[in-house]
Amino acid sequence: MAAPAHVSRVRSLYKRILVLHRFLPIDLRALGDQYVKDEFRRHKKAETDENYKDTLQTQILEAVGEQNAPVKFGADLSDGKLGHFQEDQIGQLYELMLESTKPNRQFNIQEDTK
């Protein structure tokens, strides 16, 4: 069983990422939420890495400051970083890239107007 401190850090990171996703466009939010849930389930015992959270938080703050400018979320991966990935991970990244850049995404989601 994982140490309580580790579980607390992981849970805190997970919650923070889902809060940050609230600021994404609705279709990217749905895609991101599902992806994060799946990744956290698959890697329950992995060390916490907050690069994604930090990058997303920075991009959201920049987007809020530049409301009229087009917003780009994400980051490019260098060939060096891609070289460390396994073949199935490259395939997963490719599928994620295709899904996130589709003009007509598979999600048909509307904002909750409550």
Side-chain angles (χ1 to χ4, degrees), residues 2 16 31-32 43 70 86 104 109-110:
R16 183 68 183 145
L31 179 65
H43 304 289
Q86 296 176 1
N104 297 317
I109 300 168
Q110 298 176 349

Side-chain angles (χ1 to χ4, degrees), residues 5 14 17 19 23 39 51 55 74 85 93 104-105 108 110:
Y14 177 70
I17 288 171
V19 167
F23 295 94
E39 285 297 299
N51 289 340
T55 300
F85 283 67
L93 281 173
N104 297 317
R105 296 190 179 99
N108 184 12
Q110 298 176 349

Side-chain angles (χ1 to χ4, degrees), residues 23 57-71 73:
F23 295 94
Q57 185 170 326
T58 300
Q59 291 172 346
I60 288 170
L61 291 173
E62 288 172 358
V64 169
E66 303 171 12
Q67 291 180 348
N68 295 331
V71 179
F73 292 106

Side-chain angles (χ1 to χ4, degrees), residues 72 74-83 85 89-90 93-94 96:
K72 178 187 175 235
D76 295 326
L77 290 172
S78 68
D79 289 340
K81 284 187 179 180
L82 285 173
F85 283 67
Q89 291 173 314
I90 298 286
L93 281 173
Y94 182 71
L96 183 60

Side-chain angles (χ1 to χ4, degrees), residues 93-111:
L93 281 173
Y94 182 71
E95 289 176 15
L96 183 60
M97 186 266 310
L98 289 177
E99 188 60 43
S100 66
T101 57
K102 276 185 185 176
N104 297 317
R105 296 190 179 99
Q106 74 181 36
F107 300 103
N108 184 12
I109 300 168
Q110 298 176 349
E111 291 282 350

